[in-house]
Amino acid sequence: MDDIVSIFVTAFSLITTGNSDVWEITSRTLQVTFSSVLISTVISLPLGTAITFRNFRGKKTLINIIQTLYALPTVIVGLVCYMLLSRTGPLGYLGFLFTPNGMIFGQTILIIPIMTGLTIAALQAIPPTITDTIRSLGATRMQFLISHIREARFTIMAAVVIGFSRAISEVGAAIMIGGNIRGHTRVLTTAISLQTSMGNFELSLALGIILLGIALVINLFLGALQQR
Amino acid sequence: MIRLEQVSRKFGERTILTGVSGEIRKGEIFTIIGPSGQGKTTLLRLINMLDTPTEGSIFFDGISLHGSGDQATSLRRRMGMVFQIPASFHETVFENIAIGLKYRRISKDEIKRRVLEKLKEIGLEGYENRKAGTLSGGEMQRVSLARVMVTEPDLLLLDEPTANLDPVSTARIEDLIRLYNRKSGTTVIMSSHDLFQGQRLADRIAVMMEGRFIQTGETIDVFSHPCSAKVARFIGISNILQGRVIGIEDGILSIDVSGTVIHALGTADKEMVSVAIRPEDITLYNEPDGKMSARNVLYGKITGIKPFGIICHVMTTCGEITLAVQVTWQSVKEMNLKEGQEIILSFKAPSVHVMPLDEHETCRSW
């Protein structure tokens, strides 16, 4: 019992005293995750919008595939990206393997399906009374799209937050593509995994608390936006 | 303003509209009444170009409503439609009313001026910064009315705008519609399953049943001369009987209704007819009276008394036929009317309205 209490005390002191390792890892985590969420948003929103409003053969199948990929295992993303990015792979010339860029690449692939799928779901959830009203009020095609997306904005924001949560909490792709190199590609999850296996529970716990804290802040922020 | 030519709409195997024809005049309030599920909403959606007819054409000031793209948008901007369930955008009340003006690229100052003025008109002054989601159903329906009126359309389409509202909200919405029509001269096409609303608001009425206008005319004409038993039943005439014309003399028809002869003023092309007698046109007597000058005098029996607010319907049987008679509660007391009592019914020949039996025949339009 005393052990657990002292672990917590040490963990909090690591956070509050500004241990340089802790903050270095945290800031890299945020950089990598925000980058992949940003890239993924730029791809997923237009993609989801296009799939929702265009009619084409195989639309239902495509949506089904996207939904299946919500559960894409992170280690599979890690494996495939590793093969793509390794020196002999097709994207080897990018030199992304064992770099933060490689991790961003992997996380982007990981969260595009869930963000695209949830964007589609958010847009489809707008009731016909709203879409009829938009059209009836004399919106052009473009105005229709803008109003429609605007009406779904809170649900789309939630899709972005879910993408963020999945990216920041995954460990498989980060460790396989990044390699958990100290001072270079080590992020919160890979660090926790390593420190735990080394018996450094204080540091692991401190990093874990920070990870949860970030998730909390993001969700509070979204909640505040939706309340407005 | 709007001309409908044999407009049909099918959804797969289901036929909703089966050749609607008619004309809506500039500046009038034209109400489409009929039971639910008879195609009223579908017709309004077709006029608003939210849907296209399977067959037939719709003309708006002579222009066929068939285009798409920019042409369709510019035509649609001359109309405004209010839906049965008001759409509330996740925005403030101000934004909810301004949206149509924004599509039209009206200047910010002008939008502000018009929206605030409209808020005052609908009695929601000071509500501009409220979230639309916090409004009551009646308030939201006023907002959706304002949203359309603020764009100053030439044609206002209202799809059962008061169907889900309480009587007080309904009265407010009706006042707004009437005032707007009188003030701006905007043509209004409105659907309603409430025939009294039709009566209160409409200049002309179309009765829609089975996907067609089965009767179109001045409100008073439709109510006093329903063209078929179905229309008569819908407008609330409870005594509708079928009979055979057995003679005509001096413009008075003799009609055999299940063995009882009823005299009616009118003409009949066919032998078999429907007749409608309003319960308020029948008088009851306890015993023969010298004042019974009416041509129809029937002897019957009271089978029950049904209350209708401040009046009641005395249900009677005369031979094979059943007739409801409208009386006041005071008369019930004074005449000591009771179930099972023998009674005399009397009504004039002009009170008997004769209609063709064939209900599929379209009535003439006025």
Side-chain angles (χ1 to χ4, degrees):
Chain A
M1 195 60 200
D2 282 353
D3 263 8
I4 294 179
V5 174
S6 75
I7 289 172
F8 265 100
V9 171
T10 322
F12 275 107
S13 75
L14 277 171
I15 297 168
T16 48
T17 55
N19 177 293
S20 66
D21 261 6
V22 170
W23 291 114
E24 193 257 342
I25 293 171
T26 305
S27 88
R28 178 168 315 102
T29 305
L30 288 175
Q31 269 173 36
V32 169
T33 309
F34 273 119
S35 305
S36 51
V37 169
L38 189 70
I39 297 168
S40 177
T41 304
V42 169
I43 296 170
S44 299
L45 290 197
L47 187 64
T49 309
I51 293 172
T52 309
F53 293 110
R54 267 175 215 280
N55 286 316
F56 51 89
R57 268 180 59 146
K59 177 169 168 170
K60 267 212 173 113
T61 317
L62 179 64
I63 293 176
N64 278 333
I65 292 170
I66 291 171
Q67 284 169 345
T68 308
L69 293 179
Y70 287 6
L72 186 62
T74 58
V75 285
I76 290 182
V77 174
L79 170 67
V80 172
C81 289
Y82 189 97
M83 295 194 313
L84 286 172
L85 297 173
S86 69
R87 200 171 301 192
T88 52
L91 298 175
Y93 65 91
L94 291 170
F96 275 6
L97 198 62
F98 304 128
T99 65
N101 282 346
M103 297 161 78
I104 294 169
F105 182 84
Q107 287 189 351
T108 303
I109 288 175
L110 181 72
I111 62 176
I112 278 178
I114 198 158
M115 285 178 60
T116 307
L118 292 178
T119 300
I120 294 170
L123 293 172
Q124 285 179 342
I126 298 298
T129 49
I130 292 279
T131 51
D132 279 346
T133 302
I134 296 173
R135 287 172 65 203
S136 176
L137 284 167
T140 60
R141 180 83 187 145
M142 201 60 201
Q143 287 169 335
F144 174 85
L145 284 179
I146 293 168
S147 286
H148 195 133
I149 293 170
R150 199 177 149 75
E151 191 58 18
R153 64 193 181 278
F154 295 125
T155 336
I156 292 175
M157 253 185 256
V160 175
V161 168
I162 287 173
F164 182 90
S165 307
R166 184 149 160 80
I168 202 169
S169 61
E170 72 87 23
V171 58
I175 213 157
M176 287 166 82
I177 306 167
N180 194 20
I181 304 164
R182 185 175 182 187
H184 186 48
T185 59
R186 184 164 296 174
V187 288
L188 286 166
T189 51
T190 59
I192 292 171
S193 159
L194 180 73
Q195 297 303 333
T196 305
S197 68
M198 284 163 55
N200 282 333
F201 298 121
E202 296 86 351
L203 189 54
S204 283
L205 200 59
L207 298 173
I209 291 166
I210 292 173
L211 194 56
L212 269 176
I214 293 169
L216 183 69
V217 168
I218 294 286
N219 274 292
L220 286 178
F221 177 68
L222 180 80
L225 271 183
Q226 288 178 333
Q227 284 295 312
R228 278 207 307 139
Chain B
M1 188 88 191
I2 289 285
R3 199 166 79 246
L4 304 162
E5 283 182 4
Q6 291 297 321
V7 177
S8 298
R9 182 70 176 98
K10 286 184 186 133
F11 292 100
E13 290 294 294
R14 265 191 81 207
T15 305
I16 303 295
L17 299 178
T18 55
V20 179
S21 292
E23 182 133 22
I24 291 100
R25 299 169 193 156
K26 200 170 167 57
E28 71 177 346
I29 299 183
F30 185 87
T31 303
I32 304 165
I33 59 168
S36 300
Q38 304 285 321
K40 302 188 295 288
T41 300
T42 306
L43 183 63
L44 291 178
R45 289 177 62 87
L46 290 176
I47 297 173
N48 200 210
M49 305 173 83
L50 293 173
D51 193 5
T52 26
T54 317
E55 276 167 58
S57 326
I58 303 172
F59 296 92
F60 180 26
D61 275 347
I63 308 161
S64 172
L65 292 183
H66 257 134
S68 59
D70 287 350
Q71 199 208 349
T73 306
S74 68
L75 277 171
R76 209 187 268 130
R77 283 184 182 178
R78 294 181 52 201
M79 321 177 199
M81 181 155 169
V82 174
F83 299 84
Q84 186 174 346
I85 300 161
S88 106
F89 291 90
H90 283 294
E91 313 271 3
T92 60
V93 170
F94 184 95
E95 292 294 327
N96 264 276
I97 298 177
I99 185 161
L101 296 175
K102 287 192 171 164
Y103 292 155
R104 288 160 179 76
R105 305 202 181 287
I106 309 276
S107 75
K108 271 214 169 95
D109 292 344
E110 175 69 7
I111 290 180
K112 194 170 175 195
R113 190 186 66 75
R114 284 209 223 170
V115 171
L116 293 181
E117 185 188 297
K118 209 41 94 180
L119 270 171
K120 212 185 220 170
E121 262 179 61
I122 61 168
L124 293 178
E125 205 177 1
Y127 276 55
E128 56 268 26
N129 294 323
R130 282 265 297 267
K131 282 269 150 199
T134 65
L135 300 183
S136 73
E139 288 168 339
M140 193 57 225
Q141 192 58 293
R142 274 187 273 159
V143 167
S144 55
L145 207 57
R147 165 159 68 208
V148 168
M149 287 173 175
V150 83
T151 65
E152 295 169 3
D154 299 331
L155 173 65
L156 192 57
L157 303 165
L158 308 171
D159 184 19
E160 306 225 11
T162 62
N164 300 317
L165 302 180
D166 59 89
V168 178
S169 301
T170 300
R172 276 203 96 133
I173 299 266
E174 285 178 2
D175 287 346
L176 280 171
I177 295 167
R178 194 181 302 105
L179 194 73
Y180 183 72
N181 166 265
R182 299 296 179 250
K183 241 171 83 180
S184 65
T186 305
T187 311
V188 178
I189 306 178
M190 181 174 146
S191 74
S192 180
H193 66 264
D194 174 357
L195 66 133
F196 296 114
Q197 183 166 64
Q199 221 170 0
R200 283 194 296 271
L201 282 180
D203 296 313
R204 286 195 312 142
I205 275 184
V207 181
M208 188 156 205
M209 280 179 185
E210 289 158 356
R212 281 174 309 126
F213 287 168
I214 58 171
Q215 186 168 6
T216 311
E218 305 286 332
T219 308
I220 188 82
D221 284 332
V222 174
F223 279 91
S224 50
H225 301 290
C227 72
S228 76
K230 248 185 202 157
V231 177
R233 210 167 286 130
F234 181 70
I235 63 171
I237 303 178
S238 30
N239 299 320
I240 296 158
L241 309 163
Q242 288 185 4
R244 194 161 56 85
V245 178
I246 50 171
I248 178 159
E249 201 178 314
D250 296 336
I252 304 284
L253 294 168
S254 299
I255 301 161
D256 175 2
V257 180
S258 311
T260 305
V261 177
I262 288 176
H263 302 283
L265 192 66
T267 54
D269 304 339
K270 299 206 176 95
E271 200 186 349
M272 298 304 291
V273 292
S274 285
V275 295
I277 309 156
R278 290 183 177 273
E280 57 268 36
D281 289 339
I282 307 177
T283 315
L284 289 180
Y285 294 93
N286 277 327
E287 49 202 50
D289 189 314
K291 286 183 279 178
M292 293 194 310
S293 59
R295 210 173 255 270
N296 292 293
V297 175
L298 305 180
Y299 290 79
K301 200 181 208 174
I302 297 176
T303 57
I305 299 175
K306 272 201 234 167
F308 279 92
I310 56 159
I311 49 135
C312 66
H313 279 186
V314 175
M315 308 306 293
T316 63
T317 53
C318 309
E320 297 283 303
I321 63 178
T322 306
L323 289 171
V325 183
Q326 181 176 311
V327 294
T328 59
W329 285 108
Q330 181 154 6
S331 307
V332 172
K333 223 161 128 190
E334 279 171 13
M335 295 177 70
N336 195 20
L337 299 177
K338 280 190 300 290
E339 205 177 314
Q341 186 181 330
E342 305 279 335
I343 198 83
I344 303 168
L345 291 77
S346 139
F347 47 96
K348 293 177 177 161
S351 300
V352 182
H353 178 62
V354 182
M355 301 164 290
L357 193 60
D358 182 11
E359 292 174 2
H360 294 292
E361 218 170 58
T362 309
C363 301
R364 74 191 165 96
S365 298
W366 277 268

